[in-house]
Amino acid sequence: MADPIGIDFGGSGIKAAPVDLTTGEFSAERERIDTPEKSTPQAVAQVMAELLKKFEDTKSAVGVTVPGVVRKGGVIGSAANIDKSWIGTDADDLLSDVLGREVHVINDADAAGLAEVRYGVAKGRSGLTIVTTLGTGIGSALLYDGVLVPNSELGHLEIEGVDAESRAANSARKDEDLSWEKWAKRLTTYYRALEKLFSPDLIVVGGGVSKHGPEFIPLIEINTEIISATLRNTAGIVGAAALASDKQG
Ligand code: BGC
């Protein structure tokens, strides 16, 4: 059967690639289109339809990441960094309709968590792993003995009276032009809060910025083992493709 296609809907770009699920690697070149300025469900669905035209196979299963809560059945429950009209949208229905085949959505950080547990650093790890993605916001995935507990939304923990992601996401580092040291201090505060509440066995740092892991991860002062993700910015696509294949049974 054709490789499933994963689509990653992010704040700045929408990216897609078919994934070979035996290796967790892309089986064709990744395609990307800028996220429309007004990122409404209809506008985003149209971009996804454009992206799919770039791949030959029109039958492959499709999985899509969304940067918000995804309730059972694909209804979106929150929209911190995307157009608010996503809230209450049945994204499985809308995207299946526009893309002309069965589509399933998953929270972006949950997709990254699934990818890391199947192909990356979280593979074979027992106990509680928390995968965090540091990007426009902070995403989180809780994996207990490799099983995902979806929609943890730990980027929105209130710390020192503010939404954690507004201080510690990679976008805060860029917007405020923070040095690695200054950002690592904020990350220390954030990850200490996670340690206190969850006593994790492993914390994984994902998102595109994890390619600079050696510059800031060693500066994060916590007691839990904390390591860079393996898949970085391919994790969303890989996790979404894995979901699409799981749902097909
Ligand atoms: C959203 C999460 C998402 C994360 C990363 C947060 O603002 O609430 O659902 O996983 O950003 O995109």
Side-chain angles (χ1 to χ4, degrees):
M1 225 174 36
D3 286 340
I5 295 177
I7 305 182
D8 186 10
F9 165 26
S12 56
I14 302 177
K15 301 159 225 159
V19 178
D20 175 350
L21 292 181
T22 55
T23 59
E25 282 165 11
F26 295 170
S27 52
E29 197 71 17
R30 187 195 76 165
E31 299 285 350
R32 178 190 187 283
I33 297 180
D34 279 354
T35 304
E37 206 158 310
K38 197 159 164 42
S39 56
T40 59
Q42 274 301 339
V44 167
Q46 289 310 327
V47 169
M48 290 178 182
E50 280 306 304
L51 279 171
L52 285 187
K53 283 190 202 148
K54 297 178 192 267
F55 302 107
E56 281 159 30
D57 202 300
T58 54
K59 298 278 184 312
S60 28
V62 171
V64 171
T65 73
V66 175
V69 167
V70 177
R71 294 195 178 277
K72 253 188 166 166
V75 176
I76 306 305
S78 74
N81 298 304
I82 50 176
D83 195 83
K84 300 294 173 238
S85 60
W86 278 92
I87 297 173
T89 297
D90 186 329
D92 279 7
D93 261 13
L94 170 78
L95 295 175
S96 299
D97 210 32
V98 176
L99 304 181
R101 53 185 124 180
E102 191 178 325
V103 177
H104 293 282
V105 296
I106 180 172
N107 169 265
D108 56 0
D110 285 343
L114 269 188
E116 290 299 333
V117 93
R118 291 198 187 176
Y119 307 102
V121 282
K123 191 171 173 181
R125 298 292 300 237
S126 59
L128 180 64
T129 297
I130 305 183
V131 175
T132 53
T133 59
L134 306 176
T136 309
I138 296 182
S140 63
L142 297 185
L143 298 143
Y144 193 81
D145 285 350
V147 177
L148 174 72
V149 181
N151 292 317
S152 49
E153 291 294 318
L154 301 181
H156 298 297
L157 275 183
E158 189 180 309
I159 299 176
E160 294 166 352
V162 296
D163 194 31
E165 73 175 21
S166 69
R167 281 186 60 77
N170 190 42
S171 56
R173 177 186 70 82
K174 291 201 273 191
D175 293 348
E176 297 177 51
D177 203 14
L178 299 176
S179 61
W180 295 118
E181 288 75 16
K182 284 217 168 109
W183 190 43
K185 281 213 168 76
R186 293 189 184 186
L187 289 171
T188 295
T189 305
Y190 177 65
Y191 287 117
R192 278 188 185 161
L194 295 192
E195 268 187 321
K196 190 168 147 196
L197 293 171
F198 296 97
S199 305
D201 298 286
L202 173 68
I203 292 177
V204 176
V205 180
V209 71
S210 59
K211 65 172 179 282
H212 297 290
E215 281 163 281
F216 68 94
I217 296 178
L219 307 177
I220 300 172
E221 292 176 14
I222 57 172
N223 297 317
T224 310
E225 182 185 357
I226 178 164
I227 52 180
S228 235
T230 312
L231 289 98
R232 296 173 186 156
N233 55 3
T234 67
I237 291 178
V238 173
L243 170 89
S245 156
D246 289 356
K247 292 273 186 183
Q248 281 212 324

